[in-house]
Amino acid sequence: MPRASKRKADAVKSSHAETAPKKPTKEVERIDNLFASYANTSISMIDPEGVEKLCSDLSVEHTDVRILMLAWKMNAKKQGYFTQEEWRTGLKSLRADTLKKLKKELTELEKEVANPNNFEDFYCYSFRYCLTEDKQKSLDIESVCVLLDLVLGPKFRLQVDSFCDFLKIQKEYKVVNMDQWTNFFRFCQEIEFRELKNYDACQAWPLILDNFVDWLREKSKSA
Amino acid sequence: MNSNHKKRNFQIEAFKHKVVVDPKYADKTWRLLEHAINEIYNHNASGLSFEELYRNAYNMVLHKFGEKLYTGLVSTMTRHLTSMSKSIEDTHGEMFLEELNNKWTDHNKALQMIRDILMYMDRTYVPSSHKTPVHELGLNLWRDNVIHLTGIQTRLQNTLLQLIHSERTGQIINRGLMRNIVKMLTDLGPSVYQSDLETPFLEVSAGFYRVESQDFIECCECGDYLQKAERRLNEEIDRVSHYLDSRTKIKITNVVEKEMIANHMTRLVHMENSGLVNMLVNDKYDDLKRIYNLFHRVPHGLDTIREVMTSYLRDTGKNLVTDPEKLKDPVEFVQSLLNEKDKFDKIIGFSFNNDKSFQNSLNSSFEFFINLNPRSPEFISLFVDDKLKKGLKGVSEEDVEIILDKVMMLFRYLQEKDLFEKYYKQHLAKRLLSGKDSSDDAEKSLVLKLKTECGYQFTSKLEGMFTDIKTSQDTVHGFYSTHGSELVTGPILTVQVLTTGSWPSQPGATCNLPTELTSICEKFKSYYLGTHTGRRLTWQTNMGTAEIKATFGKSQKHELTVSTYQMCVLMLFNKSDRLTYKDIEQTTEIPSVDLKRCLQSMACVKGKNVIRKEPMSKEIMESDVFFVNEKFVGKFYKVKIGTVVAAAVKEEPEKMETRQRVEEDRKPQIEAAVVRIMKARRVLDHNNVIAEVIQQLQSRFLANPGEIKKRIESLIERDFLERDGSDRKLYRYLA
């Protein structure tokens, strides 16, 4: 029967939507429409204004860490902007083609990020995401503290607060680079906090962490 | 009579078949031999026929009576020995040993004769029946029946030990007799010698020396004690060579070493007022040699000496480098270091046999304390500067080499060699530019030594400096020969052209040269640039000197030697008598700090006040007015006007600057080393990188691990390296 066969053909095409871009499926269409509703047509990207609108529609603060997670899922390159490709990638993998679904998926996304296999990747991504300039390699202390608080705070509250205090007091470093950023995470995982017994300054820890540990030890002595 | 029968009985048959000999024959023969043995022991051997006895013994053995012969020998000999021992036992007092010795000699003589007679038995019956050969048998019988007789054994041991003790306490004994008795014991076998004499000897000796050493150490000083110990040691060695077995030598010396030296080692070394430190301080070479030789013999003896020497050295050295008096005078500082090194070199040479381990301790101690003072590199450079400035005339070439070699030796101890290089360069520049030609050979010699020690890179710039001076001379010469005729009437100019990279960098400063000089200066500049296109010349007005002829008042003539700045100021007075500070500043454009110093040197220094200022205050104010001091009278025709050195405060920042520059220079060197290492290894862990970098840079300075870490991080940031994905201790080279 011609109708039946046509339906089958449709079904086949929708499951291989990526390999046959000529005929977008309903899902993709809805995703694209959603994109269009926030995008700035002159640059064909969602700009910060659009992001803000998206956030209010999702009832999250635009400084909420879930937006950052969303960016991660999309593998967004530029902070505050989403391209159509990125939008598609993200929403497709979330299986969210409506605002309602997207909102629901955000909670799932949180769990996904918390998974140890993904967290480190997310953590590193968040730093890169904040490097807004073209050849920028490091982030100023102020921004680092905010980012740390956002990303790592929930997991390692004590370490993050302590480290941010230190960063603001010390004078040697004005910025933090990727290497130092990644190593801080490793520090939180491996070193027992407060006691710091298993920290060995002769190992390959970045100097900024050596200084941090010295500062902590000095403080506990005078305390 | 049955003589015929008998004759028939004694017919000798051919040896083809066994002959059963009459057993009575055996008895008879034996009795003959027994008699002979007795005679031998009774010193009556002369009447015996060797040939007959030998034949009889031979026959006995041949006819299967070897056993009888052997047992007979044993019992006869035993009998004789028993009676000998009785006679020995009965001897009283001093004759005991002598009697023993005599009897032993007798027995040996007898034994020899007996063995000769019984030689056939010794060669045939004895081996086949596994019996002890005659000679050995004789010794064993002697041992069992004489020496080990209860009465004799203990008495013998006691007598011998008593004699040795007497000898030790100063009495003379019969060494020949001793030697014979000891030889007897050794002949009886090493176990006899050891158990009967050697072991008790060693025990008694240990006890003796234990007591003696305790007595000595209570009342003797270290040096005396050691002399006594050495004497005793030599005595024992002498004793062994005269009458003991040579294998006892090492054993008895060990005993003496242990009791007299090892047991009291620490106490001796640390003895107040006479111990090792006292010996070192007072250069007591003989005592030191003795203590070295004696302690060499005991385990950890040399270690003990070396430890004490090292800690003394480090303490003394530390005091030396932190002594505030010495720190005021760098030349004195370095000279003290050299003196200390000389002292210990001599000690190690004369007394410690040039022992390598002591030399190493000396070197490591020096390295330790020289680097305790961060100014050591500067001071060593100043020392060299002093020696080379004053000129080494009157000092022979060899002596110059010796001094320079000593300086190099100190240089090797420095960890911050790059700091030395900076100071040395500054001082060398001053020396070269001061115009004095002295010690040129010595300068070159030192540069050569530095080159050998540190490589070409270290000295390439220094050599550039020398070249510049030489080239400048040639240039000036060429200038004058080309333009000579025009310049006869004008001022005489001597120029040194310095290549910017080779000389310590000087901050540029403004200064307008006097009009009287502009012509010749321009001429020189164009001459030079004519022959060297593409170069730029800048007059370094903060350096240089001038000689000016001046007339004060009506007729007071002087020749003034002044700095360039001073010259610029003075020349202005040719045109006006009165100049304000502002006038001078505007015309010369000399920076105010330098200008003030320059004016101060000429107006406020007694004996050099060629200028008068109003008001007559000590400080130069911007409101001051200056005149020529018409009343100036100098002691001599030639007057040298120096420049006031600003308060010591100015020196400090300069030193800080030098050190900072050196620290800055180190950063790229560290990075270069890291990159070199990583390029070769591709992947390497943190600790090994640190270790290799330190090693590579060792010849210039001691790299700080923290600083190295910083540089590594910087390299990671710039994508020269990365951390390994799985093992964060590893670094990877990024091509």
Side-chain angles (χ1 to χ4, degrees), chain A residues 18-50:
Chain A
E18 281 151 321
T19 52
K22 288 177 200 167
K23 274 197 181 171
T25 62
K26 285 275 179 188
E27 194 191 356
V28 176
E29 241 186 274
R30 281 197 283 274
I31 289 174
D32 284 345
N33 289 338
L34 208 52
F35 179 77
S37 64
Y38 295 105
N40 179 339
T41 39
S42 56
I43 47 170
S44 12
M45 288 198 279
I46 303 182
D47 63 2
E49 228 182 273

Side-chain angles (χ1 to χ4, degrees), chain A residues 120 137 172-173 177 179-180 183 186 201-207 210, chain B residues 686-687 690 706-707 709-710 713 716-719 723 728-731:
Chain A
E120 187 163 353
K137 293 250 168 86
E172 212 175 322
Y173 292 93
N177 63 28
D179 183 52
Q180 292 158 328
N183 274 288
R186 186 179 149 223
C202 296
Q203 292 213 333
W205 294 107
L207 208 56
D210 289 344
Chain B
H686 178 82
N687 285 338
I690 302 279
E707 191 57 48
K709 220 193 218 189
K710 246 192 187 162
E713 285 177 34
I716 291 177
E717 208 177 300
R718 287 180 279 153
D719 294 324
R723 288 185 202 268
R728 294 210 167 259
K729 281 198 290 292
L730 288 179
Y731 297 110

Side-chain angles (χ1 to χ4, degrees), chain B residues 316-343:
Chain B
T316 320
K318 193 165 154 189
N319 290 337
L320 223 161
V321 303
T322 49
D323 179 358
E325 282 305 306
K326 292 248 156 55
L327 292 177
K328 287 186 195 160
D329 183 355
V331 178
E332 188 48 44
F333 176 90
V334 175
Q335 191 58 51
S336 311
L337 289 175
L338 290 176
N339 293 345
E340 198 70 12
K341 181 74 170 39
D342 269 344
K343 179 192 169 92

